[in-house]
Amino acid sequence: MHWACILFPHFAVDGVQRQRPPSARPLAMLTGPAHRRVVHAVNDAAAARGLKARLSVQAAQALTSDCDWVEFDASAMERDRQLLAAWAYGFSSQVSLAFDDALVLEIGQSIALFGPWPDFERRLRLELDDLGFRHRIVAAPNAWAARTLANVHDGLGVDAPQLSGAIGRLPVAAAGFAPDVTEAFTRMGLRRLNQVMAAPREGIARRFPPHVLDWVDALCGRVVPLRMYRPPSTFQRRMEFDHEIELTSGLLFPLRRLVGDLATFVRARDGGVQRFQVVFEHDRFESTVLDVGMLAPERDALRLLDVACHRLDRLTLKAPVRAVSIVADDLPPFVPPSGDLFEEHPQGALSFDQLRERLRARLGDTEVHGMATDFDHRPERAWRRQRERNEPLAALADARPAWMLEKPILFRARHRVLFGPERVESGWWDGDDVRRDYYIVETDAGQVAWVYAASGERGPFMLHGFFA
Amino acid sequence: MGAVVALDQLLAERTIWRGKAPARASSRAQPTGLAALDAALPFAGWPPASLSEVLVACDGLGELSLLWPTLARLTAEGRPVVVIGPPYLPYAPAWHLAGVALDKVTVVHADATRAMWAAEQCLRSSACGAVLCWPKNPTDQALRRLQVASETGHALGFVFRPERAADNPSPAALRLHVQAHPRRVRVLKCRGANPPPHSIPMPAFALA
């Protein structure tokens, strides 16, 4: 077992349904030109009402009227394929999308990392269920055998010795040949693949196009190069709704799906995301863009969603939303936080950076800041708010109040002077000239206040701070 | 009664009230920096992993200087301190002069409900050493949430409230009343022991 094939039997429908809240309504996808619309794929509920692929739309509508009709979108399907490839890339460096509705990945070397195949397979299935795609998984010594066996089997693992037997038992109809080839084999009386393989090669080479023999050879293990998937360096995903969403709560489900996809994507490339944009598209207005930024790269879906939701809480949308997309250009490497093995952490513990992230997301970037001293004699300029931490500068040696009023107010309380005046005279060079005499006073209530008057005068006093 | 709890541990954690002068405290003590106050409190300092209330008649009575030694010690240990919804700007030079490592201090401005949310998040996260907040008319339930959050996150929570709140009961483990004339601090409540009968003098205002 060196290759696994994951086949998606209901790829198109799953791709649509995973974007919608779970429901039991029938759903049918339509395709074809306007004059000859046919059903492309249906979900289980629709199949139960008799709908099936290639049915004309008139016939389908005659069978049931209570059904969601969705236009089949090939580009959406391609995006889903890319997503799944990106996901699989997290398990194996060799992933290929060479087959239409399936992806194959090399597992021989991954097993060393992810454990024996049954455990590995269980994990793949679990994550695929989370992603919302129904699937069949088969492992075999080569990619072609895995792909072909997946046509009829699910959960099969074949080793090299049993390979020819397992392939030989396959009916020709399930071997993945073109319909006319299958029919020709059947008419020749060859119903199983072992009969085909036993037939003289020259005969088959003469009667059939060359790719038929190539396919059979590849099944038996002849090495054929596969085009491998290379993960892109940016992430972009869009989700369109068939109705307008007016409430923010209604955006939660699509957002969760998109953020989940983003997390899957960055995790697979062993990176993180530091900044991404959520774009809400409206019908008649320009799109609303929500910037989500974090202090450090993150890749945990729940955390990303947490931050995005807090930002969303503060966002006012000017119109109902038609589509949501997520764009992430900046995908830096992810450095996992280093923790002490013996450190005791209560449940739900966050690192301080994560905590600050959460506060900033909910309250706004400017509302959460640090503090630092600055070199300036003027009290208003002797401190700075800074958002990021850095080294504090040396402070002034004089007594300064613990609290400062942002705007000084007139000081009227009865008081006695404890200390003063302290002359502050500075700033003549930058136009913000300050000439004040500062006093430390005690009010009758016992407050110790920092007040000032124009230089040389004993009043009126302005209150500038408290010594608390 | 699934878990077996050692008796001395229960006694040490002050979850049992014994009504007499407490034995001296454990390694988890959080000294206030005011020796007389430490001596009067059952934990030899702030109740660890709990909410403490500081009641003041007005701002500027030395309520912050009561905390500064603690904040200086915590920040020097590298533990972050969050100041949520302060009534004025915390003035960096003074805090620096008091020995607080400014790079560990984060200031958060928020309206009343968000301030409570932020305080709870900070306390619960177990990432903070101490959280200072100035809630406006907090409900008993809101304070109880903060108390539970401090226990969960092993953080020191400080709530500053006006003097008139002294008459109402509070879930805080320690309640201090800062009085102006003369500058003294009175213990209104301390979990696990009787509040000391006398108020404790605070250092008078002095120039640094």
Side-chain angles (χ1 to χ4, degrees), chain A residues 346 349-350 358 362-363 367-369 371 379 389 395 400-404 419 440 444-448 466-468, chain B residues 58-62 65 68 88-89 91 94-96 102-103 107-109 117 121 125-127 134 152 180-181 183 207:
Chain A
L350 299 169
R358 184 177 282 184
R362 170 88 183 261
L363 306 172
E367 304 299 303
V368 181
H369 62 83
M371 51 199 248
R389 288 180 225 168
R400 287 288 178 265
W403 293 132
M404 188 158 106
F419 175 80
I440 298 172
D444 282 0
Q447 294 169 293
V448 181
F466 287 114
F467 290 83
Chain B
C58 47
D59 305 304
L61 295 183
S65 60
W68 267 340
Y88 309 102
L89 289 175
Y91 192 51
W95 289 59
H96 178 69
L102 295 184
D103 57 344
V107 184
V108 175
H109 301 282
W117 171 84
Q121 292 292 321
S125 72
S126 81
W134 284 259
T152 319
H181 290 299
R183 277 199 181 200
L207 291 174

Side-chain angles (χ1 to χ4, degrees), chain A residues 123-337:
Chain A
R123 179 162 171 189
L124 291 176
R125 286 183 191 275
L126 216 63
E127 296 199 9
L128 279 170
D129 286 339
D130 275 351
L131 285 169
F133 286 100
R134 285 172 281 177
H135 51 269
R136 295 211 291 264
I137 301 183
V138 167
N142 69 68
W144 274 264
R147 168 70 190 87
T148 311
L149 287 167
N151 282 338
V152 284
H153 297 286
D154 182 20
L156 184 72
V158 183
D159 279 317
Q162 301 114 34
L163 178 65
S164 57
I167 293 180
R169 281 192 295 278
L170 277 181
V172 167
F177 296 126
D180 55 331
V181 175
T182 308
E183 202 188 330
F185 275 134
T186 318
R187 288 194 180 159
M188 287 160 69
L190 308 177
R191 295 182 188 280
R192 295 197 174 271
L193 268 183
N194 55 0
Q195 295 171 314
V196 174
M197 289 188 279
R201 282 182 72 87
E202 308 81 61
I204 292 181
R206 206 168 52 242
R207 287 162 195 242
F208 294 101
H211 63 79
V212 173
L213 263 185
D214 289 348
W215 183 270
V216 173
D217 287 346
L219 278 182
C220 297
R222 200 188 70 182
V223 179
V224 183
L226 269 175
R227 246 190 79 204
M228 291 301 161
Y229 164 80
R230 289 263 133 252
S233 57
T234 61
F235 177 87
Q236 183 160 18
R237 242 181 121 67
R238 182 164 179 276
M239 204 181 265
E240 207 177 283
F241 315 121
D242 11 318
H243 52 275
E244 294 185 323
I245 293 187
E246 295 184 3
L247 296 174
T248 324
S249 55
L251 290 169
L252 205 60
F253 181 81
L255 197 61
R256 179 176 303 146
R257 196 52 110 180
L258 286 171
V259 170
D261 287 356
L262 172 63
T264 305
F265 178 81
V266 294
R267 182 176 290 274
R269 61 201 298 284
D270 197 24
V273 57
Q274 186 152 15
R275 253 172 207 291
F276 60 92
Q277 293 179 319
V278 187
V279 183
F280 300 97
E281 293 170 31
H282 312 296
D283 258 347
R284 284 179 300 279
F285 294 91
E286 212 164 285
S287 305
T288 313
V289 178
L290 178 68
D291 271 308
V292 184
M294 282 149 295
L295 287 172
E298 225 8 290
R299 69 174 177 200
D300 183 65
L302 281 177
R303 259 185 214 133
L304 291 174
L305 186 69
D306 191 39
V307 174
C309 285
H310 283 319
R311 301 253 165 184
L312 185 60
D313 274 351
R314 293 194 301 125
L315 185 77
T316 320
L317 291 164
K318 52 196 166 202
V321 178
R322 247 358 256 243
V324 181
S325 57
I326 280 194
V327 184
D329 300 326
D330 181 21
L331 301 174
F334 176 76
V335 183

Side-chain angles (χ1 to χ4, degrees), chain A residues 411 415-422 437-441 451-462:
Chain A
F411 182 67
H415 61 273
R416 62 190 181 92
V417 173
L418 296 178
F419 175 80
E422 177 199 341
D437 281 345
Y438 274 92
Y439 296 86
I440 298 172
V441 300
V451 299
Y452 70 82
S455 63
E457 291 171 34
R458 292 285 295 206
F461 285 120
M462 299 294 285

Side-chain angles (χ1 to χ4, degrees), chain A residues 35-91:
Chain A
H35 60 276
R36 229 180 71 75
R37 310 271 289 154
V38 292
V39 175
H40 179 80
V42 295
N43 71 352
D44 292 343
R49 302 194 182 193
L51 267 61
K52 58 183 183 223
R54 287 187 293 283
L55 207 62
S56 77
V57 71
Q58 289 82 3
Q61 277 165 349
L63 279 170
T64 177
S65 55
D66 177 34
C67 181
D68 291 333
W69 310 100
V70 181
E71 183 64 35
F72 170 69
D73 180 3
S75 62
M77 213 163 124
E78 182 54 34
R79 282 199 298 275
D80 284 336
R81 270 160 61 81
Q82 291 295 328
L83 173 76
L84 285 166
W87 162 78
Y89 196 71
F91 294 100

Side-chain angles (χ1 to χ4, degrees), chain B residues 98-125:
Chain B
V100 181
L102 295 184
D103 57 344
K104 290 286 171 208
V105 181
T106 303
V107 184
V108 175
H109 301 282
D111 58 32
T113 45
R114 284 182 171 178
M116 287 310 269
W117 171 84
E120 197 189 328
Q121 292 292 321
C122 293
L123 285 169
R124 197 182 292 281
S125 72

